[in-house]
Amino acid sequence: MAGRETDLKSQRRWIDKWWAVGLMALAIGIGVRLLFRDLDNWVAVVAGAGVYAIVLTVLIRRRQRGDARATGLETDDVPALERRLRRGDIPDDPALRQAMLQLVHRRRKTMHSKLVWAFPAMLLMFVALGVLLLVGGSVVAGAAWIVGGPVVVGGMWWMRRTSLNRLRRAERQLNASPAQDSARSPQRDREQTA
């Protein structure tokens, strides 16, 4: 247990802290709002971005707490474990492997939820808005929505499929024995070539 805690604590980054996520969301929110507004009403820009940053930080932290409960880790260790999962770096420690497997199951369950209808619904909204704009006389905007909508939804579908493939691959590696796994880990391949 001590080795696992030390391993994950050494991989923590300042960007994983809740306040860093909040400040980043605030900066992005202010930047986006300033693109669409002028600087005359800067108090409203900062206030609106602040509300957005608070909501986003609370939602991200809530998800991390749920992941921590499901995996048996500390809340601050979840981002480090997610980074290792994205890189395909499968740990040797059996307890950490089990925690990562629980995280994979949780992510796959979320991605296989009942929200499969969301992609066709978004596509329908994009196309319907484009048709309404075309009927209203805005040909360029209508065409942009009709063409851009399927591109955005297709990109989201592709990202979802890529993430599911990565999670399936990680689940296979986590269910394999550690001796078999060492031959397939990209992180270990990089270490062996260095």
Side-chain angles (χ1 to χ4, degrees):
M1 188 79 145
R4 176 178 83 173
E5 291 172 359
T6 305
D7 184 35
L8 286 177
K9 283 186 181 170
S10 68
Q11 296 177 10
R12 288 182 184 172
R13 296 183 182 166
W14 67 271
I15 198 74
D16 298 335
K17 303 287 186 193
W18 67 269
W19 55 266
V21 171
L23 286 176
M24 226 172 22
L26 180 66
I28 291 170
I30 289 173
V32 168
R33 286 177 170 265
L34 285 177
L35 284 175
F36 296 106
R37 294 181 178 209
D38 53 358
L39 202 53
D40 293 340
N41 200 359
W42 64 271
V43 175
V45 168
V46 173
V51 169
Y52 168 75
I54 289 170
V55 169
L56 183 71
T57 304
V58 167
L59 289 175
I60 288 174
R61 198 62 178 174
R62 182 174 168 232
R63 177 182 173 192
Q64 287 176 348
R65 275 195 301 259
D67 291 341
R69 276 194 303 272
T71 59
L73 298 173
E74 293 180 31
T75 305
D76 292 335
D77 291 334
V78 171
L81 192 64
E82 280 183 307
R83 249 190 316 278
R84 288 184 75 169
L85 181 61
R86 275 194 308 272
R87 279 189 261 137
D89 184 18
I90 305 299
D92 292 328
D93 180 22
L96 201 52
R97 287 175 75 95
Q98 186 61 32
M100 189 179 275
L101 187 62
Q102 292 300 322
L103 187 63
V104 167
H105 287 307
R106 189 169 162 87
R107 292 288 179 265
R108 285 189 67 189
K109 181 181 176 188
T110 302
M111 294 184 85
H112 281 297
S113 68
K114 299 172 188 153
L115 292 178
V116 177
W117 57 267
F119 290 109
M122 283 189 295
L123 185 62
L124 181 65
M125 286 180 4
F126 279 126
V127 171
L129 183 59
V131 168
L132 284 174
L133 287 169
L134 284 174
V135 169
S138 227
V139 176
V140 174
W145 278 98
I146 289 175
V147 171
V151 169
V152 168
V153 173
M156 290 170 59
W157 185 263
W158 176 79
M159 286 188 293
R160 177 184 180 274
R161 194 184 77 196
T162 304
S163 294
L164 281 172
N165 287 340
R166 185 182 327 117
L167 291 173
R168 282 188 205 106
R169 197 169 38 253
E171 186 175 26
R172 276 194 309 271
Q173 290 177 344
L174 287 166
N175 287 329
S177 67
Q180 292 173 344
D181 185 41
S182 63
R184 285 189 256 157
S185 174
Q187 180 71 19
R188 288 188 187 88
D189 289 344
R190 285 191 293 270
E191 289 171 359
Q192 288 174 356
T193 58

